[in-house]
Amino acid sequence: MRLEYPTNVKIILVPCSGKVDVLHLMRAIQKGADGVYVVGCLEGTCHYNEGNYRARERVEHVRTLMEEVGLEPERVRMYNLSSGEGPTFAAYAKEMTENIKELGPNPLKDKG
Amino acid sequence: MIVAKRKPFDEIMDMLKDYKKVLNVGCGTCVSVCLAGGEKEVHVLNSELEMARKLADNPIELGAYTVERQCDREYLAELDDKVKDYDAVVSMACGVGIQFLAERFPDKPVFPAVDTAGLAVNQAVGWYEERCRSCERCVLGWTGGICPVTMCAKGLYNGPCGGTNKGKCEISQDQPCAWYMIYERLAAQGRLDHIKKIRDPYDWVDTTPRTLIQPGYKKPEEVE
């Protein structure tokens, strides 16, 4: 398809979105990422039944933690798509990038 | 097992505001199983604290260490050469572990990062329900295996009270009446006569800390 998506998006592969832990998302922000999002399979289609639901719960939890810390929860998000939806993947990458650009850089980066 | 829940973040931040180098100590037993104060939760809290303090231009240096149990001397001993390097210690153990840690390092401020919430069963991952208040006078044998001290809003050893209402407690329609449940279960087992056994009320006066020494064992200071 030769689709393009923003080059600032760095992909970390996991066997299932249910593998993504709260700490993985926290560390991304802590180490200076401007945003982090999880792309899981469509809800109801998880090969492991509930991996993407667990991921969604964790993303919601991290958003709460971000608020506690004083950072915008919008920097952390969850998206769902099927493995055949390349154009949707690119559209989500673009949407996330635009949302983060509106928020500006991660304020932790200025703090050394 | 003993269950606990993480304290509100602002409360932890407030306790630590004057300290620059803090060791966060997790406990690998009950609070680890109930997802409140194990190794992972130590790292999540440290991550939050580090970010929040950095944003507040008051950076903090944090250590993380999880011992097998904070209620056992032999495991706390692992911390002896570590704690001296820190201004203060945070404990993510239950109230027992926190106190034992504070007792071992009396010159260090020790702060709790969790609120201990009772003795509970695991209904599902992350979902716990209290079942025991450790009253030291177990009546489960006469109450069909349902604890009236925990499950009854008044903790009555003898019940029900006048507030029982069609199987619910007077405090809420969501709260089953413990003594109604006890009645139903004893009736189903053909043991209703047990509900008539009158137990003396618990003596809540002068509730000093209890010490338990199992038969055949000595106090720690008496061990050679």
Side-chain angles (χ1 to χ4, degrees):
Chain A
M1 279 189 265
R2 303 210 179 274
L3 295 164
E4 289 189 0
Y5 63 91
T7 54
N8 51 277
V9 175
K10 304 284 176 261
I11 296 178
I12 297 172
L13 298 173
V14 287
C16 168
S17 60
K19 172 68 189 169
V20 179
D21 191 73
V22 166
L23 208 49
H24 296 143
L25 304 174
M26 295 290 283
R27 286 273 190 266
I29 299 294
Q30 193 179 356
K31 291 188 173 182
D34 298 321
V36 56
Y37 65 106
V38 179
V39 184
C41 296
L42 290 170
E43 292 191 356
T45 66
C46 177
H47 181 70
Y48 305 103
N49 295 333
E50 51 189 33
N52 47 6
Y53 292 115
R54 288 184 187 278
R56 179 172 291 281
E57 291 241 343
R58 287 171 197 153
V59 166
E60 287 304 318
H61 180 49
V62 172
R63 287 166 69 99
T64 311
L65 298 180
M66 294 283 285
E67 269 188 284
E68 286 181 353
V69 165
L71 289 165
E72 304 91 341
E74 295 79 17
R75 292 185 186 279
V76 184
R77 269 204 71 166
M78 174 93 194
Y79 286 103
N80 297 86
L81 47 71
S82 85
S83 57
E85 292 183 274
T88 315
F89 177 85
Y92 286 159
K94 196 160 170 272
E95 181 184 295
M96 186 71 188
T97 303
E98 282 165 6
N99 289 346
I100 297 296
K101 275 186 177 161
E102 271 180 40
L103 291 173
N106 180 344
L108 287 166
K109 279 197 282 201
D110 295 335
K111 305 285 182 181
Chain B
M1 88 191 124
I2 297 170
V3 294
K5 54 187 176 184
R6 235 282 299 278
K7 273 188 175 293
F9 185 66
D10 289 347
E11 190 180 335
I12 300 171
M13 277 286 280
D14 188 48
M15 285 189 283
L16 298 180
K17 66 179 187 295
D18 298 326
Y19 301 95
K20 300 280 185 195
K21 199 174 177 193
V22 174
L23 177 64
N24 188 355
V25 185
C27 183
T29 310
C30 309
V31 289
S32 201
V33 177
C34 76
L35 311 170
E39 188 174 9
K40 186 179 127 185
E41 291 76 26
V42 165
H43 286 293
V44 170
L45 175 59
N46 279 7
S47 172
E48 269 193 280
L49 285 168
E50 198 203 295
M51 287 193 273
R53 288 284 290 262
K54 211 183 243 189
L55 287 171
D57 292 318
N58 182 19
I60 185 169
E61 191 179 331
L62 290 154
Y65 196 84
T66 299
V67 298
E68 186 68 28
R69 279 196 294 280
Q70 288 190 30
C71 56
D72 258 324
R73 281 199 175 89
E74 62 182 292
Y75 297 114
L76 285 183
E78 294 171 32
L79 297 166
D80 287 353
D81 59 346
K82 293 182 175 64
V83 166
K84 62 179 179 349
D85 299 330
Y86 294 87
D87 308 330
V89 182
V90 166
S91 169
M92 297 195 79
C94 69
V96 172
I98 297 165
Q99 290 186 61
F100 214 30
L101 186 69
E103 192 179 313
R104 190 169 186 99
F105 305 105
D107 56 335
K108 291 284 176 198
V110 173
F111 299 104
V114 302
D115 288 317
T116 306
L119 303 178
V121 294
N122 197 349
Q123 288 285 30
V125 180
W127 169 14
Y128 309 96
E129 283 180 0
E130 187 177 22
R131 287 287 188 276
C132 176
R133 294 267 165 93
S134 58
C135 71
E136 213 179 338
R137 285 179 50 190
C138 192
V139 293
L140 290 170
W142 314 119
T143 58
I146 296 166
C147 173
V149 180
T150 314
M151 310 303 280
C152 164
K154 290 176 177 171
L156 292 176
Y157 276 109
N158 302 286
C161 73
T164 185
N165 182 17
K166 294 176 183 165
K168 305 293 181 191
C169 175
E170 63 183 334
I171 63 161
S172 161
Q173 279 298 300
D174 298 329
Q175 180 63 38
C177 169
W179 278 99
Y180 179 83
M181 292 194 296
I182 291 168
Y183 177 90
E184 290 286 305
R185 191 172 290 174
L186 288 177
Q189 293 179 1
R191 296 200 290 145
L192 258 186
D193 55 313
H194 288 179
I195 209 169
K196 293 181 183 164
K197 286 179 189 286
I198 305 296
R199 262 79 48 173
D200 292 336
Y202 194 86
D203 184 7
W204 290 107
V205 178
D206 299 337
T207 53
T208 53
R210 296 167 288 187
T211 299
L212 169 67
I213 302 167
Q214 300 291 17
Y217 291 85
K218 294 175 179 173
K219 285 184 182 177
E221 58 267 30
E222 291 171 359
V223 176
E224 288 167 13

